[in-house]
Amino acid sequence: MKNKKTLYFILMFLPLLVTLITLPFLPESIPAHYNLAGEIDRWGSKYESLIFPVFIIGIGFFMLWMAKVSAKQEENGKNNEKIVFYTGMGLSAFFTVEHCYFLYKDFAAAKSMSFSGTGDVNQLICILLGISLVIMGNFMPKLRNNSIIGLRTSWSTKNDITWKKSQIFGGISFIIGGALMIIAGIFMEGYTAMCVALGIIIICTIAGTIYSYIAAKKY
């Protein structure tokens, strides 16, 4: 576990380290915000690139705290703690890839001074979200009943049977939804890709809620 925690902290602080290394080479003005079409709609100081890495570190520590809280809710073992820990690691990896991509776009877009940017950030986010859903979907059936993570509704937490069945259903829907998001990210661009991703998340959420209600009525 010690080696895994080391990797966790490396992933958590890597974006800040990369940013500090690249900061002297960045132009004074860089793209600071993109609209839903993936176009630059605001330019700002290069020091704004430090905001996202600090946010990533905050999320990392928050997930570590969540892991400790979830551990206290388990009577036996540390299953939920491990899952929250790996989720935090996955989020750090997700944000690291995204931030490195934004740094690349900062260099390229600032050099050309083009408001259209380079590449499609929406496609990247859609694909990364899809991968995240697939990973979470594989973890969900292993979750034990808790008040923090998982497909949690008043019906899914009714008893251990409804909880288990709800997590299995939620896991399958996340895997399918994640796969569809990856495909959408590959073949769709801009606003369309993000709309499809948002639609898939909404459908998975609604489907999971309805299923937990049905499971609670049955069991």
Side-chain angles (χ1 to χ4, degrees):
M1 191 67 178
K2 184 178 180 180
N3 291 334
K4 293 177 181 178
K5 282 192 175 182
T6 300
L7 177 59
Y8 185 98
F9 281 105
I10 289 174
L11 289 171
M12 194 168 73
F13 284 94
L14 184 60
L16 179 60
L17 178 61
V18 171
T19 305
L20 290 174
I21 292 173
T22 59
L23 196 62
F25 305 99
L26 283 172
E28 292 300 320
S29 182
I30 62 171
H33 189 267
Y34 297 84
N35 59 26
L36 290 176
E39 301 171 336
I40 304 169
D41 58 11
R42 186 175 76 83
W43 292 74
S45 168
K46 65 179 181 180
Y47 294 101
E48 291 187 38
S49 60
L50 292 168
I51 296 175
F52 197 40
V54 173
F55 167 78
I56 296 172
I57 293 172
I59 289 293
F61 280 117
F62 174 75
M63 294 304 294
L64 286 176
W65 174 78
M66 289 277 285
K68 290 183 179 179
V69 173
S70 63
K72 294 179 181 179
Q73 297 187 4
E74 287 188 89
E75 295 182 0
N76 299 306
K78 296 183 178 180
N79 184 69
N80 289 352
E81 180 184 12
K82 290 180 181 179
I83 292 177
V84 175
F85 177 83
Y86 288 128
T87 300
M89 188 180 292
L91 284 174
S92 294
F94 172 94
F95 288 133
T96 296
V97 173
E98 186 177 0
H99 183 62
C100 288
Y101 180 74
F102 277 125
L103 286 176
Y104 160 74
K105 286 178 69 70
D106 288 344
F107 274 109
K111 184 176 180 180
S112 65
M113 293 301 290
S114 170
F115 281 83
S116 61
T118 56
D120 190 344
V121 66
N122 293 301
Q123 283 183 292
L124 175 67
I125 293 175
C126 189
I127 293 172
L128 290 177
L129 282 175
I131 294 173
S132 299
L133 283 185
V134 171
I135 294 174
M136 286 189 291
N138 278 280
F139 278 128
M140 283 180 68
K142 302 175 184 177
L143 283 171
R144 293 170 186 157
N145 203 335
N146 70 94
S147 61
I148 299 177
I149 55 174
L151 176 53
R152 296 192 66 259
T153 67
S154 58
W155 303 297
S156 67
T157 56
K158 179 181 178 182
N159 55 56
D160 288 340
I161 296 177
T162 58
W163 173 265
K164 186 67 176 179
K165 290 188 174 295
S166 295
Q167 303 318 305
I168 291 174
F169 179 88
I172 293 173
S173 64
F174 267 33
I175 292 172
I176 295 174
L180 292 175
M181 287 173 67
I182 294 172
I183 294 172
I186 294 174
F187 294 102
M188 298 179 181
E189 299 180 355
Y191 185 70
T192 302
M194 289 305 296
C195 283
V196 170
L198 181 61
I200 290 173
I201 292 174
I202 292 174
I203 291 173
C204 287
T205 302
I206 294 175
T209 302
I210 293 174
Y211 180 84
S212 68
Y213 171 78
I214 295 174
K217 289 294 183 181
K218 186 175 181 180
Y219 300 101

